[in-house]
Amino acid sequence: MTEKDQLPKLEEILEKPLHRKPLSVSEITYLLGLTEGDQISRVFRTAQYMRTKYFGQKVFFYGFVYFSTYCRNNCTFCSSRTSNKLAYRYRKSESEIVEAASLLAESGVHLIDLTMGEDPFYLGSESGFDSLLTTIQKVKKETDLPLMISPGVVPKDVLAEFVKAGVDWYACYQETHNRQLFSSLRPEQDYDSRLSSKIIARRLGILIEEGIMTGVGESLSDIAFSMGILQSLEPHQARVMSFVPQMGTPMYDRKSPSRLRELMTIAVLRLLYPDRLIPASLDVDGLDLLQERLEAGANVITSLIPPRLGLSGVSQPSLGIDEGSRTVQGVASLLDQMGIEVATNQDYFQWVCREKVSLSCGPANYEAAVCK
Ligand code: MD0
Ligand code: SF4
């Protein structure tokens, strides 16, 4: 008997998440490796069922402000890597950042994601860091929305300052939990510090997002292994994004992977972590395949970017931005066709609030939670 024959039938595997029973590594690998249309649709249908069970037909929108593309690191997959001479570099001023965030808030997003490279200006000087904190406070005040920060790996005291300034979420993606692959993607970066920055952030009372990337040389069992790590990390949001080759980087010659792998990973995330937030990012294919990502079980649309402000995406620096397709309006008709509703701000506040309370970090943080 081959290993495949020994595995329970697809139905048996799909039964388990319905009863919140865990899946084994070989079951996860089996799901990730499905290639037959029929079977794949069955997995997606179960994932959609699970999403509906916990979130109804509602999705959330995240506005994205990539405000500095300077970075001291040299990740092989990333356009902003320090040695990339072809990178589109900019550092937006405070008023530009606040303007972009306000436009996003007016357009109806539920959260503002402030993202930067590990910019030495902000992370390496006191005045730069102070200006970052002031900017965060202003964005928070102007938009009155939950705030995510994606600043790279930062020490505990920096995270604590972020929390004081009003940050609700810390996003920091490992990309892979295979240590060897990690060092080739993130040379001279420490796997453990990156992982523990998320644990520290959650201890400080903020929600955390973890992320993996497909098409960077990982095997299906690497992805299955990541699923196990997620089980102990317990991120509030977990994402997967397909690798997109970036000009001027060592991985420019590599092909972008088949999107099936990302879609199957979204579905498996939904099966295993049905009540967590799972993004469908517009930063990989713009509007294309948004429907498929949602059908695989995603419930957050991320990387909404205001047009014509010179702001960039991470994987797709310009795709769909100035055309306005990465806006609330730009995705509205697709959602309509799909019978998907946009959640209210109140829905999102409540979700964030509930999760913050269940971090059980004492009355002080309870007060700080965005309970409205
Ligand atoms: C996105 N380009 O949402 C953004 C980014 C950073 N927190 C998010 C990867 O797709
Ligand atoms: Fe810097 Fe992040 Fe890009 Fe790595 S992935 S080079 S840390 S911006």
Side-chain angles (χ1 to χ4, degrees), residues 174-283:
Q174 210 76 14
E175 323 301 351
T176 177
H177 300 88
N178 170 332
R179 286 170 184 265
Q180 213 181 336
L181 186 55
F182 178 93
S183 2
S184 73
L185 296 172
R186 294 187 165 275
E188 287 166 57
Q189 293 173 51
D190 185 50
Y191 176 95
D192 295 291
S193 338
R194 196 166 180 89
L195 199 60
S196 51
S197 66
K198 285 163 272 204
I199 300 169
I200 296 167
R202 107 186 265 130
R203 284 204 194 115
L204 290 170
I206 45 178
L207 308 185
I208 54 170
E209 181 184 22
E210 174 62 307
I212 60 172
M213 199 180 274
T214 56
V216 287
E218 79 289 349
S219 63
L220 293 184
S221 31
D222 286 333
I223 302 179
F225 180 69
S226 287
M227 299 291 160
I229 300 278
L230 291 179
Q231 197 174 3
S232 41
L233 186 64
E234 294 187 18
H236 304 88
Q237 180 163 299
R239 75 164 61 212
V240 51
M241 286 172 72
S242 302
F243 162 71
V244 178
Q246 304 296 323
M247 240 183 347
T249 66
M251 288 175 72
Y252 184 55
D253 290 343
R254 301 271 282 264
K255 272 212 185 91
S256 195
S258 150
R259 296 300 182 257
L260 182 59
R261 183 167 281 202
E262 180 190 321
L263 296 174
M264 292 312 286
T265 309
I266 290 178
V268 169
L269 281 169
R270 176 59 68 205
L271 296 179
L272 297 175
Y273 308 108
D275 59 352
R276 303 293 83 189
L277 303 179
I278 301 171
S281 177
L282 297 170
D283 205 21

Side-chain angles (χ1 to χ4, degrees), residues 64 113 115 148 150 171 173 209 239 241 281 283 302-303 314:
F64 182 59
D113 175 6
T115 291
M148 172 183 274
S150 314
Y173 313 142
E209 181 184 22
R239 75 164 61 212
M241 286 172 72
S281 177
D283 205 21
T302 68
S303 217
V314 174

Side-chain angles (χ1 to χ4, degrees), residues 139-158:
V139 168
K140 185 83 190 178
K141 188 159 170 269
E142 285 296 313
T143 63
D144 202 22
L145 287 177
L147 212 65
M148 172 183 274
I149 188 143
S150 314
V153 177
V154 290
K156 184 178 175 188
D157 51 330
V158 165

